[in-house]
Amino acid sequence: MSRRSLLGRTAAVAAGATALTATAGGPATAAASATRDVDVAIVGAGLAGLTAARDLVAAGRTVVVLEARDRVGGRVVNLPLANGGVTEGGGEFIGPTQDRIKALADSLGVATFATYNTGKNLLYKDGRKTPYATDGLLGSVPPVDAAGLANAAIVQASLDDMAKTVPVDAPWTAAKAEEWDRQTFESWLRANAVVPSAKFLLDVACTSIFSAEPRELSLLFVLFYIAAAGNESTPGTLERLTETANGAQERRFVGGSQLVPVKLAATLGDRVALNAPVRTISRSGGKYVVTADGLTVTAKRVVVAVPPPLAARITYDPLLPADRDQLTQRLPMASVGKAIAIYDTPFWRADGLNGQVVSDTGVISSTFDNSPPDASYGALMGFIEADEARKLDAASEAEVKAAVLKDYVTYFGAKAASPTSFVLQRWNNEAYTRGGPVSIGAPGVLTQYGPALRRPVGGIHWAGTETSVHWMGFMDGAVRSGERVAKEVLAVL
Protein backbone atom coordinates (compact mmCIF):
# COMPACT_ATOMS: atom_id res chain seq x y z
CA MET A 1 0.00 0.00 0.00
CA SER A 2 1.15 3.54 -0.62
CA ARG A 3 1.92 6.63 1.36
CA ARG A 4 0.87 10.20 1.65
CA SER A 5 1.90 13.42 3.12
CA LEU A 6 2.57 16.07 5.69
CA LEU A 7 5.82 17.56 7.60
CA GLY A 8 9.88 20.59 7.82
CA ARG A 9 13.48 21.65 8.06
CA THR A 10 15.79 24.35 6.64
CA ALA A 11 14.43 27.24 4.58
CA ALA A 12 14.68 26.22 0.95
CA VAL A 13 12.65 27.69 -1.89
CA ALA A 14 12.37 26.98 -5.57
CA ALA A 15 12.16 29.32 -8.53
CA GLY A 16 9.74 32.15 -7.99
CA ALA A 17 9.53 31.69 -4.23
CA THR A 18 9.82 34.61 -1.87
CA ALA A 19 12.72 34.52 0.58
CA LEU A 20 11.77 33.29 4.03
CA THR A 21 14.08 35.53 6.02
CA ALA A 22 13.41 39.20 6.68
CA THR A 23 12.85 41.01 3.38
CA ALA A 24 10.96 44.07 2.35
CA GLY A 25 7.29 43.19 2.30
CA GLY A 26 7.93 39.65 3.57
CA PRO A 27 8.15 37.85 6.89
CA ALA A 28 10.35 39.64 9.39
CA THR A 29 12.57 38.40 12.17
CA ALA A 30 11.26 39.58 15.53
CA ALA A 31 13.18 42.63 16.75
CA ALA A 32 14.57 42.74 20.26
CA SER A 33 11.92 43.79 22.80
CA ALA A 34 9.39 44.81 20.14
CA THR A 35 5.69 45.12 20.99
CA ARG A 36 2.56 44.97 18.87
CA ASP A 37 -1.15 45.38 19.55
CA VAL A 38 -3.51 43.52 17.22
CA ASP A 39 -6.95 41.98 17.09
CA VAL A 40 -5.62 38.42 16.83
CA ALA A 41 -2.27 36.86 17.68
CA ILE A 42 -1.58 33.60 15.84
CA VAL A 43 0.96 31.08 17.10
CA GLY A 44 2.53 29.11 14.26
CA ALA A 45 3.17 29.97 10.60
CA GLY A 46 2.28 26.63 9.12
CA LEU A 47 -0.58 26.27 6.67
CA ALA A 48 -3.18 26.51 9.45
CA GLY A 49 -1.88 29.71 11.01
CA LEU A 50 -1.20 31.42 7.69
CA THR A 51 -4.64 30.50 6.32
CA ALA A 52 -6.33 31.85 9.44
CA ALA A 53 -4.31 35.06 9.12
CA ARG A 54 -5.27 35.44 5.45
CA ASP A 55 -8.99 35.16 6.22
CA LEU A 56 -8.83 37.47 9.23
CA VAL A 57 -6.94 40.13 7.27
CA ALA A 58 -9.46 39.82 4.43
CA ALA A 59 -12.18 40.56 7.00
CA GLY A 60 -10.39 43.75 8.08
CA ARG A 61 -8.79 42.47 11.28
CA THR A 62 -5.24 43.11 12.40
CA VAL A 63 -3.06 40.09 13.05
CA VAL A 64 0.47 39.00 13.82
CA VAL A 65 1.72 35.45 13.19
CA LEU A 66 4.47 34.28 15.55
CA GLU A 67 6.71 31.54 14.17
CA ALA A 68 9.44 29.84 16.20
CA ARG A 69 11.49 28.78 13.19
CA ASP A 70 13.43 30.90 10.70
CA ARG A 71 10.98 29.83 7.98
CA VAL A 72 7.28 29.37 7.36
CA GLY A 73 5.54 26.11 6.54
CA GLY A 74 5.70 24.04 9.73
CA ARG A 75 5.59 20.40 8.70
CA VAL A 76 5.84 21.43 5.04
CA VAL A 77 9.37 22.20 3.85
CA ASN A 78 11.51 22.18 0.74
CA LEU A 79 15.02 20.78 1.10
CA PRO A 80 17.76 22.27 -1.14
CA LEU A 81 19.73 19.91 -3.35
CA ALA A 82 23.34 20.21 -4.46
CA ASN A 83 22.21 20.33 -8.10
CA GLY A 84 20.12 23.45 -7.47
CA GLY A 85 16.80 21.67 -7.24
CA VAL A 86 14.57 21.05 -4.26
CA THR A 87 12.78 18.08 -2.79
CA GLU A 88 10.08 17.82 -0.16
CA GLY A 89 11.12 17.00 3.38
CA GLY A 90 7.60 17.05 4.77
CA GLY A 91 4.05 17.06 3.44
CA GLU A 92 4.11 16.79 -0.33
CA PHE A 93 1.15 14.90 -1.81
CA ILE A 94 -2.45 15.89 -2.47
CA GLY A 95 -5.35 13.97 -3.98
CA PRO A 96 -9.11 13.79 -4.58
CA THR A 97 -11.39 15.54 -2.05
CA GLN A 98 -8.46 17.61 -0.73
CA ASP A 99 -10.26 20.66 -2.05
CA ARG A 100 -9.02 23.37 0.27
CA ILE A 101 -5.27 22.94 -0.19
CA LYS A 102 -5.85 22.73 -3.94
CA ALA A 103 -7.91 25.93 -3.93
CA LEU A 104 -5.25 27.71 -1.87
CA ALA A 105 -2.46 26.58 -4.20
CA ASP A 106 -4.47 27.64 -7.26
CA SER A 107 -5.06 31.09 -5.77
CA LEU A 108 -1.31 31.50 -5.27
CA GLY A 109 -0.33 30.22 -8.70
CA VAL A 110 1.31 27.00 -7.48
CA ALA A 111 0.68 24.24 -10.00
CA THR A 112 0.53 20.49 -9.44
CA PHE A 113 1.74 17.51 -11.45
CA ALA A 114 0.99 13.81 -11.28
CA THR A 115 3.09 11.69 -8.94
CA TYR A 116 5.14 9.37 -11.13
CA ASN A 117 3.11 6.17 -11.30
CA THR A 118 4.03 4.62 -14.66
CA GLY A 119 5.40 1.10 -14.56
CA LYS A 120 5.36 -1.55 -11.89
CA ASN A 121 5.45 -1.38 -8.11
CA LEU A 122 7.76 -3.67 -6.17
CA LEU A 123 6.84 -5.99 -3.33
CA TYR A 124 9.81 -7.13 -1.25
CA LYS A 125 8.66 -9.87 1.10
CA ASP A 126 10.32 -12.91 2.64
CA GLY A 127 13.53 -12.05 0.82
CA ARG A 128 11.91 -12.05 -2.64
CA LYS A 129 11.38 -9.11 -4.96
CA THR A 130 8.17 -9.20 -7.01
CA PRO A 131 7.27 -6.51 -9.57
CA TYR A 132 3.52 -6.05 -10.03
CA ALA A 133 1.24 -3.91 -12.14
CA THR A 134 -0.90 -1.24 -10.51
CA ASP A 135 -3.65 -1.23 -13.12
CA GLY A 136 -4.73 -4.86 -12.99
CA LEU A 137 -7.60 -6.58 -11.22
CA LEU A 138 -6.06 -5.94 -7.78
CA GLY A 139 -5.11 -2.32 -8.45
CA SER A 140 -2.07 -1.40 -6.40
CA VAL A 141 -2.58 -4.08 -3.73
CA PRO A 142 0.65 -6.10 -3.39
CA PRO A 143 0.31 -9.66 -4.77
CA VAL A 144 0.44 -11.73 -1.61
CA ASP A 145 -1.17 -15.19 -1.47
CA ALA A 146 -4.84 -15.56 -2.39
CA ALA A 147 -5.94 -16.25 1.19
CA GLY A 148 -4.19 -13.10 2.38
CA LEU A 149 -5.75 -10.97 -0.34
CA ALA A 150 -9.21 -12.29 0.48
CA ASN A 151 -8.77 -11.69 4.19
CA ALA A 152 -7.34 -8.21 3.61
CA ALA A 153 -10.28 -7.29 1.40
CA ILE A 154 -12.73 -8.34 4.13
CA VAL A 155 -10.80 -6.36 6.75
CA GLN A 156 -10.68 -3.25 4.56
CA ALA A 157 -14.42 -3.45 3.86
CA SER A 158 -15.12 -3.85 7.59
CA LEU A 159 -13.00 -0.82 8.45
CA ASP A 160 -14.73 1.31 5.82
CA ASP A 161 -18.16 0.20 7.01
CA MET A 162 -17.35 0.97 10.65
CA ALA A 163 -15.85 4.34 9.67
CA LYS A 164 -19.12 5.33 7.98
CA THR A 165 -20.76 5.33 11.42
CA VAL A 166 -18.19 7.70 12.96
CA PRO A 167 -19.21 11.39 12.95
CA VAL A 168 -16.15 13.28 11.74
CA ASP A 169 -16.93 16.32 13.90
CA ALA A 170 -17.38 14.26 17.08
CA PRO A 171 -16.06 10.68 16.76
CA TRP A 172 -16.50 10.16 20.49
CA THR A 173 -20.28 10.19 19.94
CA ALA A 174 -20.32 7.19 17.59
CA ALA A 175 -22.70 4.45 18.72
CA LYS A 176 -19.81 2.07 19.39
CA ALA A 177 -17.26 4.72 20.40
CA GLU A 178 -16.66 3.28 23.87
CA GLU A 179 -16.18 -0.25 22.54
CA TRP A 180 -13.83 0.85 19.76
CA ASP A 181 -11.87 3.23 21.96
CA ARG A 182 -11.18 0.51 24.54
CA GLN A 183 -8.98 -1.47 22.16
CA THR A 184 -5.89 -0.90 20.08
CA PHE A 185 -5.86 -1.23 16.35
CA GLU A 186 -3.39 -4.09 16.89
CA SER A 187 -5.80 -6.11 19.03
CA TRP A 188 -8.57 -5.65 16.46
CA LEU A 189 -6.28 -6.67 13.60
CA ARG A 190 -5.16 -9.81 15.43
CA ALA A 191 -8.79 -10.86 15.71
CA ASN A 192 -9.69 -10.00 12.11
CA ALA A 193 -6.58 -10.10 9.90
CA VAL A 194 -6.05 -13.79 10.67
CA VAL A 195 -3.98 -14.66 7.59
CA PRO A 196 -0.34 -13.58 8.14
CA SER A 197 0.00 -11.95 4.72
CA ALA A 198 -3.19 -9.95 5.33
CA LYS A 199 -1.81 -8.78 8.66
CA PHE A 200 1.37 -7.72 6.82
CA LEU A 201 -0.64 -5.61 4.37
CA LEU A 202 -2.58 -3.90 7.14
CA ASP A 203 0.55 -3.33 9.22
CA VAL A 204 2.27 -1.65 6.27
CA ALA A 205 -0.83 0.45 5.63
CA CYS A 206 -0.84 1.54 9.27
CA THR A 207 2.80 2.61 9.44
CA SER A 208 2.51 4.30 6.04
CA ILE A 209 -0.57 6.31 7.02
CA PHE A 210 0.21 7.14 10.64
CA SER A 211 3.99 6.61 11.00
CA ALA A 212 2.94 4.61 14.07
CA GLU A 213 2.58 0.94 14.96
CA PRO A 214 -0.91 -0.60 15.27
CA ARG A 215 -0.33 -1.17 19.00
CA GLU A 216 -0.06 2.61 19.54
CA LEU A 217 -3.45 3.51 18.07
CA SER A 218 -7.00 3.35 19.31
CA LEU A 219 -9.33 1.56 16.91
CA LEU A 220 -11.71 4.53 17.21
CA PHE A 221 -8.91 6.91 16.23
CA VAL A 222 -8.14 4.81 13.14
CA LEU A 223 -11.82 4.71 12.15
CA PHE A 224 -12.11 8.48 12.55
CA TYR A 225 -9.00 8.97 10.40
CA ILE A 226 -10.53 6.83 7.67
CA ALA A 227 -13.85 8.67 7.93
CA ALA A 228 -12.01 11.99 7.65
CA ALA A 229 -10.33 11.01 4.35
CA GLY A 230 -13.03 12.67 2.30
CA ASN A 231 -14.98 15.90 2.19
CA GLU A 232 -18.46 17.12 2.99
CA SER A 233 -20.02 15.14 0.12
CA THR A 234 -17.66 12.15 -0.18
CA PRO A 235 -17.18 9.63 2.64
CA GLY A 236 -13.64 8.70 3.54
CA THR A 237 -12.18 5.29 2.74
CA LEU A 238 -9.03 3.39 3.63
CA GLU A 239 -8.24 3.00 -0.06
CA ARG A 240 -8.18 6.78 -0.55
CA LEU A 241 -5.58 7.04 2.22
CA THR A 242 -3.28 4.42 0.74
CA GLU A 243 -3.55 4.88 -3.03
CA THR A 244 -1.47 6.93 -5.46
CA ALA A 245 -3.81 7.12 -8.48
CA ASN A 246 -7.18 8.42 -7.22
CA GLY A 247 -5.75 8.59 -3.71
CA ALA A 248 -3.98 10.87 -1.29
CA GLN A 249 -0.64 10.52 -3.09
CA GLU A 250 -1.96 11.38 -6.55
CA ARG A 251 -0.26 14.74 -7.18
CA ARG A 252 2.68 16.90 -6.10
CA PHE A 253 3.44 20.63 -6.30
CA VAL A 254 5.66 22.07 -9.01
CA GLY A 255 8.62 23.62 -7.21
CA GLY A 256 7.89 21.76 -3.98
CA SER A 257 5.01 21.96 -1.51
CA GLN A 258 6.59 24.70 0.62
CA LEU A 259 5.92 27.16 -2.19
CA VAL A 260 2.31 27.26 -0.98
CA PRO A 261 3.02 28.58 2.56
CA VAL A 262 5.90 30.72 1.27
CA LYS A 263 3.69 32.51 -1.21
CA LEU A 264 0.86 32.76 1.29
CA ALA A 265 3.20 34.33 3.85
CA ALA A 266 4.37 36.82 1.24
CA THR A 267 0.80 38.14 0.96
CA LEU A 268 0.87 38.84 4.70
CA GLY A 269 4.16 40.72 4.66
CA ASP A 270 5.54 41.82 8.02
CA ARG A 271 2.50 40.44 9.82
CA VAL A 272 4.58 37.24 10.00
CA ALA A 273 7.37 37.30 12.60
CA LEU A 274 10.04 34.59 12.33
CA ASN A 275 12.46 33.41 15.02
CA ALA A 276 9.78 34.18 17.60
CA PRO A 277 8.99 31.07 19.67
CA VAL A 278 6.04 31.78 21.97
CA ARG A 279 6.74 31.19 25.66
CA THR A 280 3.64 32.44 27.52
CA ILE A 281 0.02 33.34 26.84
CA SER A 282 -1.61 35.25 29.69
CA ARG A 283 -4.83 37.18 30.20
CA SER A 284 -4.50 40.71 31.50
CA GLY A 285 -7.00 43.53 31.64
CA GLY A 286 -9.46 41.98 29.22
CA LYS A 287 -6.79 41.19 26.64
CA TYR A 288 -4.25 38.47 26.02
CA VAL A 289 -0.52 39.02 26.25
CA VAL A 290 1.53 36.68 24.07
CA THR A 291 5.21 36.69 24.92
CA ALA A 292 7.67 35.40 22.33
CA ASP A 293 11.42 35.73 22.05
CA GLY A 294 12.01 39.36 21.13
CA LEU A 295 8.35 40.22 20.70
CA THR A 296 5.35 40.82 22.95
CA VAL A 297 1.88 40.98 21.42
CA THR A 298 -1.36 42.13 23.02
CA ALA A 299 -4.50 40.83 21.35
CA LYS A 300 -8.23 40.41 21.81
CA ARG A 301 -8.03 36.78 20.71
CA VAL A 302 -5.31 34.17 20.28
CA VAL A 303 -5.14 31.29 17.79
CA VAL A 304 -2.75 28.48 18.67
CA ALA A 305 -2.00 26.67 15.41
CA VAL A 306 0.70 24.18 16.38
CA PRO A 307 0.55 20.42 17.16
CA PRO A 308 -1.09 19.66 20.53
CA PRO A 309 2.13 18.44 22.22
CA LEU A 310 3.87 21.70 21.31
CA ALA A 311 0.88 23.80 22.35
CA ALA A 312 1.20 22.12 25.75
CA ARG A 313 4.74 23.48 26.15
CA ILE A 314 3.50 27.06 26.23
CA THR A 315 2.86 28.48 29.71
CA TYR A 316 -0.74 29.66 30.12
CA ASP A 317 -2.01 32.08 32.77
CA PRO A 318 -4.61 31.30 33.94
CA LEU A 319 -4.05 27.58 33.59
CA LEU A 320 -5.85 25.71 30.86
CA PRO A 321 -8.81 23.56 31.96
CA ALA A 322 -7.70 20.12 33.11
CA ASP A 323 -9.38 18.28 30.22
CA ARG A 324 -7.55 20.37 27.62
CA ASP A 325 -4.22 19.84 29.35
CA GLN A 326 -4.87 16.13 29.83
CA LEU A 327 -5.74 15.86 26.14
CA THR A 328 -2.45 17.37 25.01
CA GLN A 329 -0.56 15.05 27.35
CA ARG A 330 -2.14 12.11 25.52
CA LEU A 331 -1.67 13.13 21.87
CA PRO A 332 1.99 12.42 21.13
CA MET A 333 3.56 12.95 17.74
CA ALA A 334 4.15 9.85 15.64
CA SER A 335 7.69 9.09 14.43
CA VAL A 336 8.86 9.77 10.88
CA GLY A 337 11.77 10.73 8.70
CA LYS A 338 12.25 11.13 4.97
CA ALA A 339 15.40 10.09 3.11
CA ILE A 340 15.93 11.25 -0.47
CA ALA A 341 18.76 9.97 -2.68
CA ILE A 342 19.53 11.98 -5.81
CA TYR A 343 20.82 10.41 -9.05
CA ASP A 344 21.72 11.75 -12.50
CA THR A 345 18.62 10.08 -13.92
CA PRO A 346 15.58 8.18 -12.60
CA PHE A 347 17.25 4.95 -13.73
CA TRP A 348 14.53 2.66 -12.30
CA ARG A 349 12.11 3.94 -14.94
CA ALA A 350 14.18 2.27 -17.68
CA ASP A 351 13.64 -0.99 -15.81
CA GLY A 352 9.87 -0.51 -16.02
CA LEU A 353 9.52 0.52 -12.34
CA ASN A 354 7.62 3.47 -10.90
CA GLY A 355 9.83 3.79 -7.82
CA GLN A 356 7.17 2.62 -5.36
CA VAL A 357 8.07 -0.21 -2.99
CA VAL A 358 6.28 -2.07 -0.22
CA SER A 359 8.64 -4.07 1.98
CA ASP A 360 8.50 -6.28 5.06
CA THR A 361 12.07 -5.52 6.12
CA GLY A 362 14.70 -2.81 6.31
CA VAL A 363 14.79 0.79 7.47
CA ILE A 364 12.70 1.89 4.48
CA SER A 365 9.43 0.00 3.96
CA SER A 366 7.85 2.35 1.40
CA THR A 367 9.34 4.53 -1.33
CA PHE A 368 8.32 7.00 -4.05
CA ASP A 369 9.84 8.51 -7.17
CA ASN A 370 10.42 12.11 -6.08
CA SER A 371 11.97 13.26 -9.36
CA PRO A 372 10.93 16.65 -10.79
CA PRO A 373 8.31 16.83 -13.56
CA ASP A 374 10.93 17.09 -16.31
CA ALA A 375 12.95 14.12 -14.94
CA SER A 376 16.11 16.24 -15.22
CA TYR A 377 17.45 14.16 -12.34
CA GLY A 378 16.28 11.16 -10.37
CA ALA A 379 15.11 11.24 -6.75
CA LEU A 380 14.19 8.22 -4.66
CA MET A 381 12.32 9.11 -1.47
CA GLY A 382 11.82 6.66 1.36
CA PHE A 383 9.87 6.98 4.58
CA ILE A 384 11.50 5.97 7.87
CA GLU A 385 8.59 5.34 10.17
CA ALA A 386 7.40 4.30 13.60
CA ASP A 387 9.71 1.80 15.32
CA GLU A 388 12.33 2.07 12.55
CA ALA A 389 12.46 5.85 12.95
CA ARG A 390 12.83 5.62 16.70
CA LYS A 391 15.68 3.10 16.37
CA LEU A 392 17.63 5.69 14.37
CA ASP A 393 16.90 8.80 16.41
CA ALA A 394 20.38 8.74 17.99
CA ALA A 395 22.20 7.48 14.89
CA SER A 396 24.48 9.75 12.89
CA GLU A 397 23.38 10.96 9.46
CA ALA A 398 26.11 8.81 7.92
CA GLU A 399 24.72 5.73 9.68
CA VAL A 400 21.20 6.49 8.50
CA LYS A 401 22.42 7.09 4.95
CA ALA A 402 24.24 3.75 4.89
CA ALA A 403 21.16 1.89 6.13
CA VAL A 404 18.87 3.65 3.64
CA LEU A 405 21.13 3.04 0.63
CA LYS A 406 21.42 -0.62 1.58
CA ASP A 407 17.64 -0.86 1.26
CA TYR A 408 17.60 1.08 -2.01
CA VAL A 409 20.17 -1.32 -3.48
CA THR A 410 18.03 -4.26 -2.36
CA TYR A 411 15.03 -2.80 -4.13
CA PHE A 412 16.53 -1.10 -7.20
CA GLY A 413 19.94 -2.67 -7.78
CA ALA A 414 23.58 -1.59 -7.65
CA LYS A 415 22.99 1.78 -9.33
CA ALA A 416 21.18 2.92 -6.17
CA ALA A 417 24.42 2.64 -4.16
CA SER A 418 25.96 5.82 -5.59
CA PRO A 419 23.70 8.86 -5.41
CA THR A 420 25.09 12.24 -6.40
CA SER A 421 23.66 13.66 -3.17
CA PHE A 422 21.54 12.61 -0.22
CA VAL A 423 19.22 14.63 2.03
CA LEU A 424 17.56 13.57 5.25
CA GLN A 425 14.72 15.08 7.25
CA ARG A 426 14.33 13.63 10.75
CA TRP A 427 11.16 15.00 12.29
CA ASN A 428 11.67 13.35 15.67
CA ASN A 429 14.74 15.55 16.10
CA GLU A 430 13.09 18.80 14.97
CA ALA A 431 12.95 21.21 17.90
CA TYR A 432 9.57 22.68 16.98
CA THR A 433 7.89 19.48 15.76
CA ARG A 434 9.40 16.47 17.58
CA GLY A 435 7.80 13.91 15.31
CA GLY A 436 5.18 13.63 12.64
CA PRO A 437 3.25 13.64 10.49
CA VAL A 438 0.46 13.95 13.04
CA SER A 439 -0.47 13.56 16.70
CA ILE A 440 -1.94 10.13 17.39
CA GLY A 441 -4.63 8.89 19.78
CA ALA A 442 -4.24 5.83 21.98
CA PRO A 443 -7.21 3.98 23.56
CA GLY A 444 -9.39 6.12 25.78
CA VAL A 445 -8.23 9.50 24.51
CA LEU A 446 -11.03 10.46 22.13
CA THR A 447 -13.91 9.30 24.33
CA GLN A 448 -12.51 10.88 27.49
CA TYR A 449 -10.94 14.09 26.17
CA GLY A 450 -12.00 14.54 22.54
CA PRO A 451 -14.50 17.36 23.19
CA ALA A 452 -11.61 19.59 24.32
CA LEU A 453 -9.83 19.30 20.95
CA ARG A 454 -11.41 22.34 19.27
CA ARG A 455 -13.33 23.94 22.15
CA PRO A 456 -12.02 27.49 22.77
CA VAL A 457 -10.66 28.35 26.20
CA GLY A 458 -11.86 31.87 26.81
CA GLY A 459 -10.30 33.86 23.99
CA ILE A 460 -7.83 31.14 23.01
CA HIS A 461 -8.76 29.16 19.90
CA TRP A 462 -7.18 26.00 18.50
CA ALA A 463 -6.16 25.22 14.91
CA GLY A 464 -3.78 22.87 13.12
CA THR A 465 -4.37 19.73 11.10
CA GLU A 466 -5.12 17.73 14.27
CA THR A 467 -8.27 19.82 14.76
CA SER A 468 -9.70 19.26 11.27
CA VAL A 469 -12.80 17.15 10.68
CA HIS A 470 -11.63 16.28 7.15
CA TRP A 471 -8.12 15.17 6.20
CA MET A 472 -6.70 15.35 9.69
CA GLY A 473 -2.94 14.86 9.45
CA PHE A 474 -2.70 16.27 5.93
CA MET A 475 -2.01 19.68 4.40
CA ASP A 476 -5.67 19.90 3.42
CA GLY A 477 -6.68 19.42 7.05
CA ALA A 478 -4.36 22.23 8.11
CA VAL A 479 -5.92 24.64 5.60
CA ARG A 480 -9.43 23.61 6.62
CA SER A 481 -8.61 24.22 10.28
CA GLY A 482 -7.33 27.70 9.50
CA GLU A 483 -10.51 28.56 7.62
CA ARG A 484 -12.66 27.16 10.42
CA VAL A 485 -10.86 29.00 13.22
CA ALA A 486 -10.96 32.31 11.35
CA LYS A 487 -14.75 32.06 11.11
CA GLU A 488 -14.89 31.10 14.77
CA VAL A 489 -12.86 34.15 15.80
CA LEU A 490 -14.69 36.58 13.53
CA ALA A 491 -18.00 35.45 15.05
CA VAL A 492 -16.94 36.70 18.48
CA LEU A 493 -14.83 39.75 17.70
Side-chain angles (χ1 to χ4, degrees), residues 151-163 176 179-195 198-199 201-203 206 214-223 226 238 443:
N151 188 197
I154 292 170
V155 169
Q156 178 170 317
S158 296
L159 290 168
D160 285 346
D161 287 344
M162 291 188 292
K176 294 188 176 181
E179 174 188 338
W180 292 338
D181 208 28
R182 282 198 299 266
Q183 60 186 301
T184 65
F185 188 38
E186 172 70 18
S187 63
W188 187 87
L189 283 178
R190 285 182 179 274
N192 291 274
V194 293
V195 179
K199 180 65 160 56
L201 292 177
L202 273 298
D203 284 347
C206 179
R215 68 176 186 272
E216 301 178 85
L217 305 170
S218 155
L219 175 60
L220 178 62
F221 179 79
V222 170
L223 295 174
I226 294 170
L238 178 59

Side-chain angles (χ1 to χ4, degrees), residues 411-493:
Y411 306 145
F412 298 105
K415 292 180 182 179
S418 304
T420 58
S421 61
F422 182 88
V423 290
L424 181 65
Q425 176 64 35
R426 307 167 77 177
W427 287 100
N428 291 11
N429 295 339
E430 273 286 309
Y432 295 111
T433 310
R434 302 316 304 262
V438 67
S439 294
I440 55 175
V445 175
L446 285 178
T447 49
Q448 289 297 308
Y449 305 104
L453 185 61
R454 286 181 296 274
R455 186 179 65 221
V457 176
I460 301 173
H461 303 256
W462 312 104
T465 191
E466 284 83 4
T467 69
S468 184
V469 301
H470 294 292
W471 289 109
M472 175 190 176
F474 292 75
M475 292 183 286
D476 190 73
V479 174
R480 288 175 184 273
S481 78
E483 293 174 340
R484 185 262 309 158
V485 85
K487 293 176 183 176
E488 186 177 284
V489 170
L490 287 170
V492 294
L493 277 179

Side-chain angles (χ1 to χ4, degrees), residues 274-293:
L274 303 178
N275 297 304
V278 170
R279 307 299 181 182
T280 64
I281 298 174
S282 59
R283 186 166 177 82
S284 177
K287 283 196 170 186
Y288 286 88
V289 179
V290 182
T291 305
D293 289 2

Side-chain angles (χ1 to χ4, degrees), residues 162-174:
M162 291 188 292
K164 290 175 185 176
T165 71
V166 176
V168 291
D169 59 343
W172 47 89
T173 66

Side-chain angles (χ1 to χ4, degrees), residues 194-410:
V194 293
V195 179
S197 55
K199 180 65 160 56
F200 158 72
L201 292 177
L202 273 298
D203 284 347
V204 171
C206 179
T207 54
S208 295
I209 293 167
F210 299 100
S211 296
E213 303 293 339
R215 68 176 186 272
E216 301 178 85
L217 305 170
S218 155
L219 175 60
L220 178 62
F221 179 79
V222 170
L223 295 174
F224 158 67
Y225 214 83
I226 294 170
N231 59 17
E232 291 78 3
S233 60
T234 308
T237 65
L238 178 59
E239 184 178 32
R240 193 174 297 117
L241 284 168
T242 60
E243 289 294 308
T244 300
N246 300 312
Q249 289 69 238
E250 186 174 74
R251 303 190 69 80
R252 297 169 57 204
F253 290 106
V254 177
S257 51
Q258 197 187 2
L259 279 184
V260 178
V262 166
K263 289 193 171 187
L264 180 53
T267 69
L268 296 169
D270 63 4
R271 297 179 183 90
V272 180
L274 303 178
N275 297 304
V278 170
R279 307 299 181 182
T280 64
I281 298 174
S282 59
R283 186 166 177 82
S284 177
K287 283 196 170 186
Y288 286 88
V289 179
V290 182
T291 305
D293 289 2
L295 181 61
T296 300
V297 179
T298 57
K300 298 172 185 174
R301 295 275 161 167
V302 178
V303 171
V304 178
V306 298
L310 296 184
R313 298 181 184 186
I314 299 170
T315 298
Y316 299 86
D317 183 15
L319 290 174
L320 294 178
D323 63 346
R324 171 69 197 184
D325 193 74
Q326 291 280 316
L327 173 71
T328 57
Q329 292 180 47
R330 289 165 168 80
L331 286 178
M333 300 300 286
S335 300
V336 70
K338 292 178 78 174
I340 303 98
I342 307 302
Y343 304 91
D344 289 333
T345 64
F347 60 85
W348 49 92
R349 296 184 183 182
D351 296 329
L353 302 175
N354 62 17
Q356 296 175 44
V357 171
V358 174
S359 176
D360 68 348
T361 189
V363 169
I364 300 290
S365 60
S366 63
T367 67
F368 278 89
D369 181 332
N370 252 39
S371 308
D374 62 2
S376 54
Y377 58 87
L380 274 179
M381 182 273 286
F383 289 100
I384 311 172
E385 301 182 287
D387 284 349
E388 293 300 328
R390 290 184 280 265
K391 289 176 186 176
L392 294 173
D393 281 344
S396 68
E397 185 161 332
E399 290 170 328
V400 177
K401 178 181 178 181
V404 168
L405 292 183
K406 180 181 177 182
D407 288 345
Y408 288 177
V409 169
T410 296

Side-chain angles (χ1 to χ4, degrees), residues 30-76:
S33 303
T35 59
R36 297 197 201 181
D37 183 71
V38 294
D39 292 324
V40 185
I42 299 173
V43 182
L47 284 167
L50 294 172
T51 298
R54 174 203 65 181
D55 290 359
L56 289 166
V57 168
R61 300 298 181 174
T62 57
V63 306
V64 62
V65 183
L66 299 159
E67 171 54 48
R69 295 181 171 97
D70 62 356
R71 62 167 182 82
V72 300
R75 287 168 272 182
V76 178

